[in-house]
């Protein structure tokens, strides 16, 4: 057969030319390569035996076009790898870093262009390249990388495709949903045989729930796109394989996904040996790469030698063109081998695409890809050391798969194979790698019918970073030895439903370590935002950089935005540390918050005889003995740690650090661990503090230095009293036993939520979960975190009953109570009250009550109170009394119908149906959503974009959305980040459709009751009132409530028409649909959908919580970020102005638009939400939301003053544009709610670190931008004043009437 085919489509006249036959390897060699031969080893590394690889073309920029177009199959000269020994290695620079940084270094060194978008845990790579570019760092070509943040990963992939088509060396970083958004362009980039590397921190996908943690679901979802896939198994490999991928992509002209495990590798800090850029430069100057780069550039789009790409093809040629690319895949393996050998030559570290480690005569082998291989390797060493014969086959190259090379790595002695996949392909015959290996084995057996059969089973592990320990690997080996090994198994969980999980290992019992001798393990229990994680990152870097020890650090977090639990896992020792799993038995444990001793099973991770440091206000044995629960004392007596106590909070406070105990606890660690001499440790600590806090100014540095100096004097060693061994204890784990599918709200709270909140979710069996992942309402009520150091206490004598404290509280932790005097008979003695003021409240008693357990101590309420009627008091001094008061206040009936709920005061007499969320202290987003639930909560449906609001609002098991006494409350769902507007529109449309259908049924029923038994007159009358007003929420919902018992009473006696109405009775209520999300969603990734919804005319409401950055992912720039602000991905300060979303929306003419600032104008936001909800079309409410990422210098407690300043200076104008208003000389649709401009906008800039960073770094540029902003703020204000006076300027087009709904 002629390898060159030319087919002409009569329709398209498109020609397709495969690689010229003369240049292909002999056909026989290609066929032979498909045949698997027993014992066939991978081709030896080197060119001699490798089939010739293919070039995309021999390139010459001056070549005639026609010839260029026909030569896309010529051979690229295959460069034999240099022998490792021939290269004199440089002394490597050792450095502690995480996997993201390790990969980013290489990506930056060899790429010229990057388009980035944040997504955890890949964001760090984008941040680093952005930062290096802003610093002017050059790559190996002498260029500063061009880094551009896009509006989404869809955009990043499209721009990447374009940059590649233009001949640049381009790269990007992503994972999970971001990777999924790239799929269409991934096909294009691979289809056009374009060299490119995409670095991926492999992460779980959003299914029944989102998860930011690591597994291979995302990368397995792109395995069909034509990209090569290369996996790194460790932090060192993330560095080395990154280079292999960049080299191999040039060699093969295939794009590469280089991936490593999200969090486990991307966020693990380990000591690595860095590759010198000079070595990379030398490598790339080799002719094979120089030619490949030249070639990439010369086949780029260029009008001096043009061609066309991306055509449409018909059935005549499309298929052949797809097959024409086969040689590129057939030969990629050899190129990867060659690239690996070249990396070996400059690093001394050798790698193979498939690498076997273990007994040469092993009978059992585990096949695995990613960081889990290191745990298996530890298990293999352990088992082989105890007389077994086992091994692990590590897969690095997953695509293109080379069966013969894979099988060639397997020792011939192997008879049993277990393939472990870190993904789940529901309903498949097995997971992808299992299927790949099984197919390879099957082919081998077909080709060699006489060979002994090997058994193969597949299993899953480690989804969403579920722990995978050496003992799990041993359990897998044990399964292979079972008479009938389990197939399709899981490890690391207890599956008591389909019983697929393997039992715990017998051969490697819990508590037996497989770490190298001399490894020192530490655990630090901290609180989110208390600085513990940052301090430990510094500590491990200090150790790794200043001792000969190898070091590793990993950090685990719970889902709260702040005030949650963080656990830092540190290891260091004389040997290389693999251990891709959490510390199991710590030699050193620090518990930075005393309440953790009772709340969590901290001691489960402490080695007997280890060191335990407790930060506590109880610094004597006697006082501690009174504080600690009996069970903890008994455990301590059994473990006999060396126990140290320190009141680190006092030290921190007296050093001016408030509640940040991190530096105190770090100093103690260096003191007790002895890993460095104390003098050296202190000097290094101070140096790292100076560097870390430089951005925050010299005062912050000095305070931290003071804390270091004061720490050791406050440390006390205490003996554990012998009597603690004999204390009487209750059951250690009071959590009730699990029952299948915890259905009811209270069952869920007890059986799922409580263990999860106690950090014991890993122990929950499969049966306890509902697979769709639904969470009942109001579960945050059981959290009772007690994280405030001070809480507000009411001074009744000063109170004027404005309810402002409750209005601004982000956590719904302070509320007004109303009671009939008689209801107070059984009130606690401290539950004082005053006569209630205001219309409708006569005769009632009034009180403001805080929930001390739920307050976060943000101090917003005390700042907001205009009457000085709240005083912050230490939590411990008021906890008991105020908690009893709170419980009593909650037991009182909610008197929510006495005042108009659309007034500021009246809104706060409504029960907030969003309470105790996981948001940061003082968060500016939550009060808006809380208010929404007070205005419309009993009929609210929220479509929530991914972002902070979906994390503080929906991190299982914590659901802050709760119900009123009738059981009604917000129904809340998150679809994705990018599609929230469309999701909300879908909800509204679906609901409307169902309600209209119900309306028709009711009307039919009323018009011609054919029922055998007609509905009663009372029911008919209620139904007809409903039918008349079903679109008027206020009337419809009152009637709907009346109808419920009537329908209930008659549902069995009346006929099928009424039964049908009864079946749909939950549609009698008119819901209010709100589409809620942040600025990243609304201005960037979701803007296309948002714009479509704005144009739709449907009755939906949109609430944009504008923090002016992507808060949830750590503060990256969005198009809402103001000019000059320094954000991540805008390391040099944002140079472009903020997008005016309000103006865009108003340009439609029929969209209700409000710009609000809850902290600056309480009444305006209530008005805006109420009007927006009433408006029968699309409404958009923009909400200025102070965020801790703004870096307000006096803290989030000043968010109110800061917001007022933003409004007063015109930085954030307040307005409402209401298309329902009939324009005349005295009524205008546009209403400017901001008063006259006052104050100095430069003062605002001076208060917030986001603006100050640029002032410090580039004062000239900052000043210039601030002047520009000042000017444009005045211009805009003038424009708005004109509009408010009825001047022209908003909707130029005709205003469409609202849709009939
Ligand atoms: C397709 C996709 N890309 C990226 C992400 C990661 N991500 C989650 S939330 C978020 C930022 C949200 O910012 P914003 O909309 O401003 O809301 P905020 O967190 O400020 O409330 C990002 C980038 C994602 N979930 N999905
Ligand atoms: S201190 Fe903050 S969280 Fe506590 S009640 Fe006041 S506003 Fe709410
Ligand atoms: S918006 Fe800001 S303050 Fe609120 S939870 Fe997110 S990061 Fe914290």
């Amino acid at each position: 057969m002629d390898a060159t085919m030319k087919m002409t489509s009569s329709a398209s006249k498109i020609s397709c030319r495969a690689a010229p036959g003369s240049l292909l390897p002999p056909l026989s060699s290609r066929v032979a390569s498909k045949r698997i031969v027993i014992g066939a080893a991978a081709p030896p590394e080197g060119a001699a035996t490798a089939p010739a690889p293919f070039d995309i073309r021999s390139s010459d920029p001056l070549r005639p076009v026609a010839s260029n177009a026909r030569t896309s199959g010529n051979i690229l000269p295959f460069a034999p790898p240099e022998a490792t020994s021939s290269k004199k290695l440089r002394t490597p620079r050792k450095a502690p870093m995480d996997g993201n940084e390790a990969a980013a270094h290489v990506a930056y060194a060899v790429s010229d262009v990057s388009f980035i978008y944040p997504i955890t845990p890949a964001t760090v790579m984008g941040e680093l390249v952005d930062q290096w570019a802003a610093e002017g760092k050059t790559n190996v070509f002498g260029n500063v990388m061009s880094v551009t943040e896009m509006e989404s990963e869809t955009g990043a992939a499209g721009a990447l495709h374009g940059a590649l088509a233009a001949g640049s060396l381009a790269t990007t970083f992503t994972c999970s949903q971001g990777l999924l958004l790239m799929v269409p362009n991934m096909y294009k980039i691979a289809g056009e045989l374009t060299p490119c590397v995409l670095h991926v921190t492999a992460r779980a996908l959003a299914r029944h729930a989102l998860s930011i943690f690591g597994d291979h679901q995302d990368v397995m979802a792109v395995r069909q796109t034509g990209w090569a896939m290369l996996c790194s198994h460790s932090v060192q490999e993330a560095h080395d394989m990154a280079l292999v991928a960049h080299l191999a992509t040039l060699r093969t002209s295939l794009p590469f996904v280089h991936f490593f495990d999200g969090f486990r590798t991307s966020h693990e800090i380990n000591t690595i040996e860095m590759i010198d850029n000079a070595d990379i430069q030398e490598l790339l100057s080799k002719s094979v790469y120089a030619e490949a780069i030249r070639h990439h550039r010369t086949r780029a789009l260029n009008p001096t030698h043009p061609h066309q790409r991306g055509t449409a093809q018909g059935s005549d040629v499309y298929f052949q063109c797809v097959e024409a690319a086969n040689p590129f895949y057939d030969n990629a393996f050899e190129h990867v081998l060659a690239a690996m050998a070249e990396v070996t030559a400059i690093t001394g570290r050798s790698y193979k695409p498939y690498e076997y480690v273990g007994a040469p005569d092993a009978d059992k082998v585990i096949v695995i890809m990613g960081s889990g291989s290191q745990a298996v390797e530890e298990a293999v060493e352990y088992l082989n050391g105890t007389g077994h014969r086992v091994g692990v086959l590590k897969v690095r190259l997953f695509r293109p798969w080379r069966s013969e090379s894979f099988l060639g790595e397997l020792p011939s002695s192997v008879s049993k194979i277990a393939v472990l996949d870190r993904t789940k392909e529901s309903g498949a015959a097995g997971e992808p790698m299992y299927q790949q290996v099984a197919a390879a084995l099957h082919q081998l057996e077909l080709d060699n019918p006489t060979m002994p059969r090997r058994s193969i089973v597949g299993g899953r592990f480690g989804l969403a970073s579920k722990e995978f320990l050496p003992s799990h690997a041993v359990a897998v080996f044990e399964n292979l030895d079972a008479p009938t090994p389990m197939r399709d198994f899981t490890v690391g969980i207890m599956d008591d439903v389909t019983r697929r999980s393997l039992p715990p290992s017998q051969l490697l019992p819990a508590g037996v370590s497989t770490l190298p001798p001399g490894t020192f393990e530490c655990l630090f229990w901290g609180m989110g935002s208390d600085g513990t994680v940052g301090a430990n990152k510094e500590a491990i870097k200090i150790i790794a950089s200043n001792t000969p020890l190898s070091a590793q650090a990993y950090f685990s977090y719970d889902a709260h935005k702040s005030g949650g639990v963080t656990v830092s896992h540190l290891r260091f020792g004389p040997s290389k540390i693999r251990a891709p799993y959490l510390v199991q038995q710590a030699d050193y444990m620090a518990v930075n918050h005393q309440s953790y001793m009772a709340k969590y099973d901290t001691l489960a991770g402490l080695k007997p005889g280890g060191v335990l440091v407790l930060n506590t206000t109880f610094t004597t044995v006697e006082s501690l003995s009174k504080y600690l629960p009996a069970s903890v004392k008994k455990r301590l007596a059994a473990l006999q740690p060396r126990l140290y106590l320190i009141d680190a909070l006092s030290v921190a406070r007296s050093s001016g650090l408030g509640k940040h105990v991190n530096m105190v606890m770090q100093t103690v660690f260096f003191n007790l661990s002895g890993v460095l001499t104390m003098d050296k440790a202190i000097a290094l600590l101070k140096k790292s503090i100076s560097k870390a806090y430089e951005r925050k100014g010299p005062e912050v540095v000095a305070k931290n230095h003071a804390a270091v100096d004061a720490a050791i004097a406050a440390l006390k060693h205490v003996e554990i009293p012998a009597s603690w061994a004999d204390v009487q204890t209750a059951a250690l784990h009071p959590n009730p036993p699990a029952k299948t599918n915890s259905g009811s709200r209270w069952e869920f709270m007890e059986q799922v939520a409580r263990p999860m909140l106690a950090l014991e979710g890993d122990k929950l069996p499969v049966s306890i979960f509902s697979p769709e992942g639904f969470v009942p309402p109001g579960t945050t009520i059981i959290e009772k975190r007690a994280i405030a150091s001070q809480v507000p206490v009411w001074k009744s004598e000063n109170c004027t009953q404005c309810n402002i404290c409750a209005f601004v509280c982000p956590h719904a932790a302070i509320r007004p109570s109303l009671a009939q005097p008689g209801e107070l008979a059984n009130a606690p003695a401290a539950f004082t009250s005053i006569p209630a003021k205001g219309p409708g409240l006569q005769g009632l008693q009034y009180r403001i009550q805080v929930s001390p357990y739920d307050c976060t101590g943000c101090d917003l309420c005390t700042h907001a109170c205009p009457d000085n009627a709240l005083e912050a008091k230490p939590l411990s001094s008021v906890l008991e009394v105020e908690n009893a008061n709170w419980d009593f206040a909650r037991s009182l009936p909610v008197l929510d119908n006495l005042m108009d709920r659309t007034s500021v005061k009246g809104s706060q007499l409504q029960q907030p149906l969003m309470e105790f969320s996981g948001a940061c202290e003082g968060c500016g987003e939550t009060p808006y959503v809380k208010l929404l639930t007070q205005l419309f909560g009993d009929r609210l449906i929220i479509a929530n974009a991914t972002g902070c609001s979906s994390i503080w609002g929906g991190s299982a098991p914590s659901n802050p959305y709760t119900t009123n006494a009738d059981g009604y409350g917000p129904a809340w769902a998150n679809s994705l980040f990018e599609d929230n507007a469309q999701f909300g529109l879908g909800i509204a449309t679906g609901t409307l459709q169902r309600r209209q259908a119900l309306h028709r049924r009711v009307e039919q029923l009323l018009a011609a009751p054919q029922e055998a038994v007609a509905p009663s007159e009372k029911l008919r009358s209620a139904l007809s009132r409903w039918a008349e007003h079903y679109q008027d929420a206020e009337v419809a919902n009152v009637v709907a409530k009346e109808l419920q018992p009537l329908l209930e009473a008659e549902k069995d006696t009346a006929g099928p028409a009424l039964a049908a109405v009864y079946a749909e009775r939950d549609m009698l209520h008119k819901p209010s649909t709100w589409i809620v999300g942040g600025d990243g969603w609304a201005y960037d990734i979701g803007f296309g959908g948002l714009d479509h919804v704005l144009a739709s005319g449907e009755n939906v409401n949109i609430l944009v919580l504008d923090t002016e950055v992507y808060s949830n992912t750590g503060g990256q720039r969005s198009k809402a970020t103001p000019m000059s602000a320094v954000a991540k991905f805008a390391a040099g300060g944002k140079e472009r102005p903020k997008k005016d979303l309000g103006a865009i929306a108003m340009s439609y003419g029929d969209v209700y638009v409000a710009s609000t600032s809850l902290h600056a104008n309480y009444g305006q936001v209530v008005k805006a939400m109420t009007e927006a909800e009433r408006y029968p079309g699309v409404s958009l409410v923009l909400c200025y939301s102070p965020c801790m990422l703004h870096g307000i210098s006096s803290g989030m407690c000043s968010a109110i003053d800061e917001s007022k300043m933003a409004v007063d200076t015109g930085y954030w104008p307040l307005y409402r544009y209401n298309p329902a208003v009939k324009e005349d000389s005295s009524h205008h649709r546009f209403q400017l709610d901001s008063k006259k401009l006052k104050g100095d906008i430069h003062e605002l800039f001076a208060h917030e670190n986001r603006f100050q960073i640029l002032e410090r770094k580039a004062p000239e540029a900052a000043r210039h931008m601030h002047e520009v902003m000042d000017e444009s703020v005045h211009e805009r204000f003038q424009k708005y004043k004109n509009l408010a006076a009825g001047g022209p300027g908003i909707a130029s087009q005709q205003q469409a009437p609202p849709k009939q709904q």
Side-chain angles (χ1 to χ4, degrees), residues 173-194:
F173 319 93
T174 193
C175 62
S176 190
Q177 308 306 129
L179 187 61
L180 295 196
L181 290 188
M182 293 188 172
V183 166
N185 262 292
M186 289 180 75
Y187 275 101
K188 291 293 296 174
I189 292 167
E192 290 164 3
L193 295 169
T194 319

Side-chain angles (χ1 to χ4, degrees), residues 1039-1057:
V1039 183
K1041 223 165 163 184
E1042 266 174 49
L1043 274 167
Q1044 301 297 334
L1046 299 175
L1047 287 167
E1048 199 65 51
E1050 298 184 34
K1051 69 175 195 294
D1052 299 326
T1053 49

Side-chain angles (χ1 to χ4, degrees), residues 117-120 123 152-153 174-179 181 203 210 561 925 945-952 976-978 1077-1082 1085 1105-1113 1116 1118 1187:
Y117 196 75
I119 183 160
T120 308
T123 309
S152 69
E153 291 85 354
T174 193
C175 62
S176 190
Q177 308 306 129
L179 187 61
L181 290 188
R203 168 183 148 178
L210 161 157
K561 300 298 300 180
E925 292 191 340
T946 310
C948 271
S949 53
S950 72
I951 299 305
W952 56 248
L976 293 167
F977 186 28
E978 62 271 26
D1079 48 282
W1081 158 69
I1085 196 168
L1105 303 166
D1106 192 347
T1107 58
E1108 307 195 315
V1109 276
Y1110 291 15
S1111 302
N1112 187 47
T1113 38
Q1116 293 77 22
S1118 77
C1187 167

Side-chain angles (χ1 to χ4, degrees), residues 788 790-792 804-815 849-852 854-864 870 872 920-923 930:
Q790 305 208 88
V791 298
I804 297 298
C805 52
F807 196 83
V808 299
C809 175
H811 287 83
I814 193 162
R815 300 183 193 178
Q849 181 58 53
V850 71
S851 169
D854 298 303
C855 168
T856 62
C858 70
D859 236 11
L860 264 179
C861 54
T862 49
H863 276 66
L870 291 170
C920 300
E921 296 162 38
C923 172
K930 186 191 65 174

